[in-house]
Amino acid sequence: MAALKLCILSSEIMPYAKTGGLADVTGALVHELALLGHEVRPFMPLYASVRRLPDMSRVAGAEAVPLDIGGVTYEFSLWSARGPDGDPPMYFVDCPPMFDRSAFYTTDPDEHRRFLLFTRAVIESCQRLKFAPDVFHCHDWHTAFLPLYLKTTYAWDRLFAGSRSVLTIHNIGYQGIMPADALPDLELGTEESRLDQRDLRFGLINSLKHGIIYADAVTTVSPTYAREICETSLGMQMQGVLRARAGGILGILNGVEYQDWDPRVDRYLAARFGPEDLGGKLVNKQLLAQGCGLDLPASAPLIGMVTRLAEQKGIDILFDSLPRVLESRSAGLVVLGSGDARYAEFFAGLAVRFPGRVAFRSGYDEALAHLIEAGSDMFLMPSRYEPCGLNQMYSLRYGTIPIVHRTGGLADSVQHFDAAQGSGTGCVFEHYDAPAVHWALNTTLDWFQDRPAWLRLMQNAMAADFSWSRQVREYESVYGRVLSSSA
Ligand code: ADP
Ligand code: GLC
């Protein structure tokens, strides 16, 4: 395929800002698409924590650019920094009143305005850079108004005459809903008629919905999630607009950046290992146990979790089942997570109730996330829904057997182990309820006791391959398709 000009815009991109998998995936896309020879220009907001990075410079010609949002004139400037490991430079939209806040995401009343500004600032930056992207690739609700802006506010600009837009939905549970009285903030003028009028009558404006309606192609992050959001209540009221899209919704499974997430090369690990030499895994298990204050017999299995503490992640079905498993089996548990207080209290309570066997670390810790992947025997991910999920794929490479609910990308990346056949890579439970996860935990702990079966399972898991080099070709095909169709 001929080299394309690609503009990737996202609220978080590795290695600059990350709260979850969105950053891993947009960072990977930048890296992999550039490797294929495309001209990739990634944009993200200049958050307070990013501002402290060295090696950033202002972009000439894009300084103090005025931008009206809801009758208020803001000013933004564009910064750029050299990309890591030969990656393309990153562009940062700087607007201190909007992005110098205590967190990337807020519950402030102007949250929608922050990302409207970001979205329009990216378009206006392209104008100033005289950069005409073949494709604007938007991610999640934060940038979902871009396709409509291209067709309205910026339709006059011939620079974008050949530009197309792609929206990737990473999580339909977050739609960027604002009250209808935020209408002037969109600055759409007479084009307001292109907004969903029914929602407006109900007093709402839904950012993601307009991306779904107006993007030239819509993708999501696994084939099963693509089906689930079109056909089941996991579409969270978007089933109708999703099904109305002529080209459908394409599910492209996320990949893994194995230069970051492979125990053979993982820079966070003191002891590296691989399928041919598993010795290092035991060293990591000891280091993890010591570091977290666990006191487990060497033969006891260790279950790991790294998760946002959000309802999506399935912690509710652990409330009864997990204490019962810990009472009846000699397993250990280590959990790293941040988010809702009620889930943090649950895990903190388990650590008190099972001293030396359960550790809970609250907060965000990249190094510990890697050590948990490397040092645990199993990885628990009982998500109620999971658009793709990355940790189960990371776990496979580390020989850390995933225990997952059959949903979304979990269903597409983990096969239930068949001990008789020696096939499969993890434990997959069907129903989202406490008995099912209780069964799954016990089943996996039983497999662990059968050493030949367990080694087989580990080898199967470690051989699974979810390299981005394959998945990124699917995005190339989507770009090719939107460019060959008329706007
Ligand atoms: P989601 O994006 O829904 O949170 P994913 O499985 O796609 O789920 O991605 C989560 C990513 O965020 C993984 O890279 C995981 O290691 C990381 N992560 C989640 N919580 C933490 C945490 N508390 N500390 C460090 N990394 C975390
Ligand atoms: C979202 C989803 C997660 C997915 C990630 C990256 O945060 O919750 O399942 O892996 O985006 O696409």
Side-chain angles (χ1 to χ4, degrees):
M1 162 176 254
L4 298 176
K5 296 197 196 83
L6 303 170
C7 174
I8 293 185
L9 52 162
S10 173
S11 58
E12 46 185 273
I13 304 183
M14 271 297 265
Y16 302 100
K18 168 170 167 178
T19 65
L22 172 62
D24 289 303
V25 172
T26 49
L29 280 176
V30 171
H31 178 72
E32 299 290 335
L33 289 163
L35 277 184
L36 292 178
H38 300 295
E39 181 182 349
V40 187
R41 304 219 190 178
F43 287 80
M44 57 170 280
L46 185 61
Y47 300 113
S49 56
V50 180
R51 185 182 297 287
R52 289 191 284 272
L53 292 180
D55 184 36
M56 284 210 303
S57 55
R58 277 175 180 272
V59 176
E63 287 155 324
V65 181
L67 198 53
D68 285 350
I69 307 259
V72 178
T73 304
Y74 294 87
E75 279 185 354
F76 79 88
S77 297
L78 197 62
W79 291 73
S80 131
R82 219 183 31 232
D85 308 327
D87 277 359
M90 180 73 50
Y91 288 106
F92 299 99
V93 171
D94 184 22
C95 182
M98 293 300 208
F99 301 123
D100 266 7
R101 307 224 175 149
S102 57
F104 305 148
Y105 307 116
T106 75
T107 49
D108 299 344
D110 64 349
E111 185 71 355
H112 64 280
R113 245 180 266 155
R114 301 174 69 218
F115 291 103
L116 286 174
L117 178 128
F118 171 61
T119 303
R120 289 186 48 210
V122 172
I123 301 176
E124 302 220 354
S125 297
C126 289
Q127 290 176 316
R128 279 165 177 77
L129 296 168
K130 307 221 173 348
F131 178 60
D134 293 303
V135 177
F136 285 95
H137 191 163
C138 311
H139 296 268
D140 277 349
W141 74 263
H142 314 95
T143 53
F145 265 112
L146 182 134
L148 180 57
Y149 280 132
L150 274 191
K151 290 178 162 73
T152 55
T153 316
Y154 298 94
W156 61 270
D157 193 342
R158 301 319 294 155
L159 184 69
F160 303 130
S163 299
R164 299 288 181 271
S165 60
V166 173
L167 170 71
T168 295
I169 302 171
H170 293 262
N171 193 335
I172 213 159
Y174 301 87
Q175 299 178 359
I177 294 176
M178 53 184 112
D181 61 15
L183 188 58
D185 296 344
L186 274 81
E187 300 281 351
L188 282 167
T190 55
E191 303 280 11
E192 280 172 1
S193 61
R194 301 186 64 157
L195 296 174
D196 185 303
Q197 298 298 311
R198 196 159 169 269
D199 277 1
L200 277 175
R201 282 196 296 277
F202 280 107
L204 306 172
I205 301 171
N206 182 318
S207 308
L208 189 68
K209 186 186 272 188
H210 292 93
I212 295 171
I213 295 171
Y214 290 109
D216 294 306
V218 179
T219 72
T220 186
V221 289
S222 71
T224 296
Y225 192 60
R227 271 197 306 280
E228 288 171 340
I229 58 177
C230 290
E231 292 169 12
T232 75
S233 58
L234 290 184
M236 317 231 175
Q237 269 106 67
M238 288 298 110
Q239 297 95 307
V241 265
L242 288 166
R243 284 204 296 256
R245 282 202 56 101
I249 310 300
L250 182 67
I252 303 176
L253 194 72
N254 286 334
V256 174
E257 290 280 64
Y258 286 121
Q259 73 270 23
D260 298 323
W261 292 99
D262 184 322
R264 285 174 283 211
V265 296
D266 190 326
R267 58 185 174 276
Y268 288 102
L269 301 186
R272 304 214 168 101
F273 64 95
E276 54 301 316
D277 174 17
L278 290 168
K281 188 160 178 70
L282 278 179
V283 178
N284 285 298
K285 186 171 174 179
Q286 281 156 4
L287 290 172
L288 175 61
Q290 275 162 18
C292 292
L294 295 181
D295 182 19
L296 290 173
S299 61
L302 181 57
I303 306 167
M305 290 183 81
V306 178
T307 184
R308 286 186 293 115
L309 299 176
E311 191 270 345
Q312 168 199 352
K313 297 296 176 181
I315 298 156
D316 293 85
I317 61 170
L318 301 179
F319 283 173
D320 290 331
S321 54
L322 198 50
R324 276 171 52 216
V325 170
L326 290 165
E327 263 161 20
S328 59
R329 319 269 314 218
S330 71
L333 172 73
V334 52
V335 180
L336 167 64
S338 65
D340 292 2
R342 67 194 185 105
Y343 300 128
E345 279 157 22
F346 165 63
F347 287 120
L350 284 183
V352 172
R353 183 161 157 199
F354 299 98
R357 284 181 52 206
V358 175
F360 171 56
R361 290 289 174 272
S362 165
Y364 184 89
D365 185 336
E366 190 75 24
L368 184 56
H370 284 252
L371 186 57
I372 291 177
E373 286 293 2
S376 306
D377 296 296
M378 342 182 154
F379 194 91
L380 180 57
M381 219 165 152
S383 310
R384 182 168 74 80
Y385 74 90
E386 195 62 77
C388 180
L390 295 171
N391 278 114
Q392 83 283 5
M393 295 196 275
Y394 300 158
S395 299
L396 289 168
R397 186 48 65 104
Y398 289 75
T400 303
I401 302 308
I403 303 170
V404 301
H405 173 217
R406 190 189 297 284
T407 184
L410 300 177
D412 292 339
S413 56
V414 183
Q415 284 79 45
H416 189 70
F417 182 56
D418 177 334
Q421 300 290 326
S423 63
T425 53
C427 186
V428 185
F429 61 92
E430 293 289 334
H431 300 291
Y432 180 71
D433 56 30
V437 73
H438 185 256
W439 168 85
L441 282 161
N442 275 319
T443 300
T444 316
L445 291 167
D446 289 343
W447 291 336
F448 184 81
Q449 300 309 325
D450 177 350
R451 289 319 282 172
W454 189 257
L455 284 174
R456 180 67 213 232
L457 178 51
M458 283 177 78
Q459 293 294 338
N460 292 352
M462 296 177 94
D465 183 3
F466 296 100
S467 315
W468 264 114
S469 48
R470 261 194 285 169
Q471 310 304 94
V472 76
R473 296 280 180 193
E474 296 204 40
Y475 281 100
E476 267 193 327
S477 317
V478 174
Y479 301 152
R481 266 203 305 283
V482 292
L483 288 168
S484 62
S485 65
S486 54

